Amino acid sequence: MDLLMKLLRSEPVELKITKPRKTKFGDYRFPKAGERHRISVNANLNPFAFIITVIHEMAHLKAFKDHGKFIKPHGAEWAQTFRELSKPFIDAEVFPRELEHNLIKSLNKGAASSCTDIDLFRALKVFDQTPEHIVTVEQIEPGGYFKIDKTKVFQKGPKSRKRYRCLNLSNGREYMVHPLAEVKKIDNPNISKSA
């Protein structure tokens, strides 16, 4: 935790712990005139996902500060900064061995985030405290049914490169769903649709 505090104190930044967001673990905002840099991190992250997310967002702050705000958000400057900021945590062996291995692989290939690097995302999920009735889309059998949120019921279809084609039963549209999206498996879609 000392390394994390040292990193956060290295720049004038406002850290906000937010309610969980489905599409991202964290966020960085460039400061407006007279304001501080702002980072938000989801409150529901396991400790290792939290640390990696803070490093990721601090890499945005430092890359923009060092190279200007017109660089690509996950371009070469950000990737190099992310590697540099991660190094002290790796050197201190903060992460369990398998997670560290996946983080290093991700850093070497320049993945934009722990959500887009499926191997790192999967390694991080091991440390989540997920209720037993929650599974991931990749655990649902082909043709099986699952629920996202409380009302959206889907039928799992074939995998297309990185995501699964899934049919929304209420509107008949097909959606591409991340294999590690957390869902609730259901047996009878008719009963679940009205629930």
Side-chain angles (χ1 to χ4, degrees), residues 132-143:
E132 287 183 25
H133 67 280
I134 300 294
V135 297
T136 60
V137 170
E138 71 180 2
Q139 294 172 307
I140 303 286
E141 68 280 353

Side-chain angles (χ1 to χ4, degrees), residues 16-28:
K16 182 177 179 183
I17 309 302
T18 64
K19 64 182 180 179
R21 295 164 287 192
K22 290 189 182 288
T23 58
K24 58 186 171 182
F25 286 171
D27 189 46
Y28 165 74

Side-chain angles (χ1 to χ4, degrees), residues 49-88:
F50 184 89
I51 292 168
I52 291 172
T53 302
V54 170
I55 297 169
H56 175 110
E57 302 308 338
M58 286 297 289
H60 282 302
L61 185 160
K62 288 186 179 281
F64 285 134
K65 186 176 177 188
D66 293 346
H67 303 284
K69 64 180 181 178
F70 298 108
I71 62 170
K72 291 183 179 178
H74 295 113
E77 299 88 354
W78 172 84
Q80 180 60 36
T81 306
F82 188 38
R83 282 192 289 277
E84 290 168 4
L85 296 182
S86 298
K87 189 177 183 326

Side-chain angles (χ1 to χ4, degrees), residues 27-38:
D27 189 46
Y28 165 74
R29 297 284 178 213
F30 197 81
K32 296 175 184 170
E35 292 183 352
R36 302 173 93 175
H37 296 271
R38 291 176 293 156

Side-chain angles (χ1 to χ4, degrees), residues 46 98 120-130:
N46 70 55
E98 184 63 25
L120 179 57
F121 190 67
R122 192 177 282 120
L124 282 167
K125 295 292 289 170
V126 168
F127 300 97
D128 285 352
Q129 293 186 359
T130 306

Side-chain angles (χ1 to χ4, degrees), residues 159-173:
K159 192 170 186 180
S160 176
R161 282 193 68 221
K162 295 184 177 183
R163 295 177 182 251
Y164 287 94
R165 295 180 180 278
C166 299
L167 181 66
N168 181 321
L169 298 183
S170 64
N171 66 14
R173 292 175 61 189

